[in-house]
Amino acid sequence: MNKQISYRLDELFVEDVSVSEIADSLRTPFYVYSRSTIKNNFVRFKKSMEGLDGIICYSVKANSNLSVLETIAQLGGGADVVSLGEYQRALRAGIDQKKIVFSGVGKQDFEIAETLKSSLLQYNVESVSELESINKIAVSLNRQAPIALRVNPDIDAGTHENISTGKADNKFGIPITTAKDIYQYASKLEKIKIVGVDVHIGSQISDLNAFRQTFENLAKLINELKNTSIHIENIDIGGGLGIKYADNDAEPDLQKYCTLVRQILGNLNCSIIFEPGRYIVGNSGILVTKVLYKKKSQNKNFLITDAGMNDFSRAALYGATHRLIPISKKNSGETEVYDVVGPVCETTDTFLKNHIIERPEEGDFLAFLDVGAYGAVLSSEYNTRPLVPEIMVFNKRYEMVRSRPSYEEIFDKEFIPDWK
Ligand code: LLP
């Protein structure tokens, strides 16, 4: 367990704040993030890159709360964004526009036009049509567009199929086999400036071999491009390094990952762009929830929590398992087995099956661990359940960083037309 989120005696603390103290003043469910954890993860990543000319462009989609982005900005980090909304968040949080890469398979004209007005680091281009669109808009604005081609190396990252992106059948990138021709084509477009090459093969990857093969393919491509006088300045290797969710999960090794980068890509005279998301924020967050009811059915015991799949959807979407622990231990020595489910009217609103937990009572508070990445960002108001609040802790202080909207605020965004 992350030592910034751990028990002191029998009480769960996030840094120096007891989770019970927050739960006493704010209705559950809510997320709590440890700012120090994010800082430590970032600094550890940065240290592991030593000897490389590299930059961390934190993948904003993992957790885009402004307070998280501000933490990254303070540490000198850049951003990997996939929409104008994420781009504007990054700027608002103080991230330097020159450290922003714009990724994503479906960039829209207005997003390209707006971002072209500033000088971002590069567009990671995913198709020939997108390349042509960027050029056209750049010509009309008389701006140069720095681009990298996102290549698809057709490599199996060995991760959940819903988060694999580097296989030929995935929608992402340009087949690496055709990349050279497209670089040639791009070099002839008036306002396109080729600056890099980009790849991202998936998320929650623990098999370093998949990265090794990918980097080798990139190195080969870059050398071939050199012979055709296309010079690559930036190698964007995407994100994807996994974290340990369960005690028996393999721990992907950051040092070994960076050693691979150094060995295979370190001598090409290029700057390396890293886009980690989960690795920076995954273990920084918990989701605090209350036990609403205990319910016995014929074959099962259900524990019904006030958090649902609309607040946290990784279990429903990817069959993910997150540890669930009490925020106050009772040390009763009695355990029980439950299927832990939310209140949403969907059978997939199931967090854990056959979960062994110290005998809980209705009204007890529990915490799901390691929900800092792809937690709140994936929340919705399904079942008209207001978006879940987010709290950030830093040392002894805690602050609300996203509030729960009132029902009025939710309804104010909708209109009943006057049909008469
Ligand atoms: N770069 C690109 C182009 C990406 O598409 C992603 C994630 C990242 C970087 C960051 O990857 P990370 O370091 O966080 O693995 N919602 C899913 C994960 C989706 C990942 C999407 N792309 C989940 O909860 O597991």
Side-chain angles (χ1 to χ4, degrees), residues 279-297:
Y279 196 90
I280 303 293
V281 291
N283 70 346
S284 75
I286 61 172
L287 175 62
V288 182
T289 184
K290 190 168 73 176
V291 176
L292 294 176
Y293 303 109
K294 298 200 284 186
K295 169 169 164 172
K296 251 186 179 357
S297 74

Side-chain angles (χ1 to χ4, degrees), residues 57 59 61-62 80 82 103-104 124 126 150 162-163 165 172 198-200 202-205 236 238-242 245 275-279 314 317-318 373-375 378:
C57 290
S59 193
K61 65 176 79 68
D80 155 47
V82 291
S103 306
N124 290 335
E126 299 242 4
R150 174 170 177 179
N162 290 2
I163 50 175
T165 56
F172 299 98
D198 168 49
V199 76
H200 172 78
S203 195
Q204 185 55 14
I205 300 170
D236 183 335
L241 193 64
Y245 282 107
E275 296 177 356
R278 194 188 311 265
Y279 196 90
R314 294 200 71 252
L317 286 177
Y318 318 108
Y374 308 109
L378 280 166

Side-chain angles (χ1 to χ4, degrees), residues 49-55 233-234 266 269-274:
M49 289 159 47
E50 240 158 47
L52 276 169
D53 170 14
I55 173 178
E233 297 162 35
N234 305 328
N269 241 338
C270 293
S271 163
I272 312 284
I273 301 170
F274 294 80

